[in-house]
């Protein structure tokens, strides 16, 4: 049940080796890709996912991935991050179709892209941990524990690199939220989610960089209070969240549970 909630919460939130003679043209091409492919890329990926869902085929999302793959080939900054992010949505698409095999293949491809990065920053590590935690649903037993351990290690590294990173706190909270109590889970989720909602989407406004996570942090925090039967706190943060995200589907559904 909690894994299903994890999935639905995240559904709706959420750089060349050229010869000297060709170096200038390669630089121009990379810059052009930034301007076209990575401009508002987070929204583009989500919209392509929504379009593919509505069209009941992956063509729109796959076209977006092809553009990102070209950007990765030219070593455009941030392209690999966003390509991995797009594989998360590809996995979600397959899950919607009850195609667990291709959902697992897609999420593993996203993980592979990030794991192969030689130098990972806090954003890379936070996304990697999120993809790893999402992939746990396709495993069981000892394998699930190993992946969970990797995800926790990556998100803790992200927090050490950047203690003010919203997405690192969100993913750390999610991992604690889904860890069973008998294994020490549920003790820090509230703290992580409250920290996440206190932070800016971005420290410096830049539409090439990630901004996802705050509405999801609110959603999980409200779920936490609902689980604890603390309706006053659930109502307080629901009111705060809906003022910021009046059209958020998950918040609207949570409002029904709070009986507003």
């Amino acid at each position: 049940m909690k894994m299903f909630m994890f999935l639905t919460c995240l559904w709706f939130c959420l750089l060349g080796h050229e010869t000297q003679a060709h170096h200038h043209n390669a630089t121009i091409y990379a810059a052009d890709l930034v301007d076209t492919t990575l401009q508002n890329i987070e929204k583009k990926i989500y919209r392509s996912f929504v379009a593919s869902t509505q069209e009941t085929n992956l063509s729109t999302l796959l076209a977006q991935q092809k553009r990102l793959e070209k950007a990765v080939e030219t070593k455009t900054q941030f392209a690999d991050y966003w390509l991995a992010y797009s594989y998360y949505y590809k996995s979600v698409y397959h899950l919607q179709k009850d195609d667990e095999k291709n959902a697992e293949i897609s999420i593993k491809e996203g993980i592979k892209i990030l794991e192969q990065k030689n130098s990972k920053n806090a954003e890379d590590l936070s996304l990697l941990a999120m993809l790893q935690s999402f992939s746990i649903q396709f495993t069981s037993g000892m394998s699930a524990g190993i992946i969970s351990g990797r995800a926790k290690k990556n998100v803790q590294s992200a927090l050490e690199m950047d203690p003010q990173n919203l997405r690192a706190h969100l993913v750390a909270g999610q991992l604690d939220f889904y860890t069973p109590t008998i294994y020490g889970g549920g003790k820090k989720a509230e703290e992580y989610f409250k920290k996440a909602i206190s932070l800016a989407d971005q420290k410096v406004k830049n539409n090439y960089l990630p901004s996802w996570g705050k509405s999801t942090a609110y959603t999980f925090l409200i779920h936490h209070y609902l689980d604890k039967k603390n309706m006053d706190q659930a109502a307080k943060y629901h009111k705060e969240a809906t003022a910021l995200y009046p059209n958020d589907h998950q918040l609207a559904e949570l409002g029904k549970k709070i009986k507003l």
Side-chain angles (χ1 to χ4, degrees), residues 98-127:
D98 296 318
D99 185 352
E100 290 195 10
K101 179 181 178 180
N102 280 311
E104 181 179 3
I105 289 171
S106 296
I107 204 67
K108 284 183 175 180
E109 186 62 33
I111 290 169
K112 181 180 177 181
I113 291 166
L114 291 172
E115 285 183 334
Q116 289 179 339
K117 287 194 69 172
N118 292 325
S119 181
K120 302 178 186 67
N121 61 27
E123 295 290 4
D124 296 321
L125 289 166
S126 297
L127 179 59

Side-chain angles (χ1 to χ4, degrees), residues 52-112:
S52 287
T53 299
Q54 293 172 340
E55 296 160 1
T56 65
N57 70 75
L58 272 168
S59 59
T60 304
L61 183 56
L62 290 177
Q64 182 65 66
Q65 285 192 323
K66 288 291 184 183
R67 291 189 286 271
L68 285 166
E69 286 169 358
K70 289 181 180 179
V72 170
E73 288 171 5
T74 58
K75 301 190 181 298
T76 304
Q77 194 176 15
F78 316 130
D80 44 8
Y81 176 96
W82 291 115
L83 183 58
Y85 185 79
S86 74
Y87 272 103
Y88 162 73
Y89 278 106
K90 188 177 181 181
S91 182
V92 172
Y93 175 90
H94 286 305
L95 277 181
Q96 288 180 319
K97 303 297 181 185
D98 296 318
D99 185 352
E100 290 195 10
K101 179 181 178 180
N102 280 311
E104 181 179 3
I105 289 171
S106 296
I107 204 67
K108 284 183 175 180
E109 186 62 33
I111 290 169
K112 181 180 177 181

Side-chain angles (χ1 to χ4, degrees), residues 25-40:
N25 286 338
T27 302
I28 293 173
Y29 181 57
D32 183 60
L33 276 171
V34 169
D35 290 340
T36 58
T37 302
L38 298 187
Q39 185 79 21
N40 295 311

Side-chain angles (χ1 to χ4, degrees), residues 1 4-5 8-13 215 218-220 222-223 226 231 234-235 237-239 241-242 245-260:
M1 181 63 183
F4 176 77
M5 186 173 70
T8 54
C9 284
L10 289 175
W11 278 358
F12 302 104
C13 355
S215 64
Y218 269 110
T219 299
F220 271 93
I222 295 163
H223 272 297
L226 287 173
M231 293 301 178
Y237 285 103
H238 185 272
K239 181 179 179 180
T242 51
Y245 309 102
N247 301 315
D248 189 284
H249 173 77
Q250 288 297 305
L251 291 173
E253 290 300 308
L254 285 173
K256 298 174 184 177
K257 295 183 179 181
I258 301 170
K259 297 180 181 180
L260 296 175

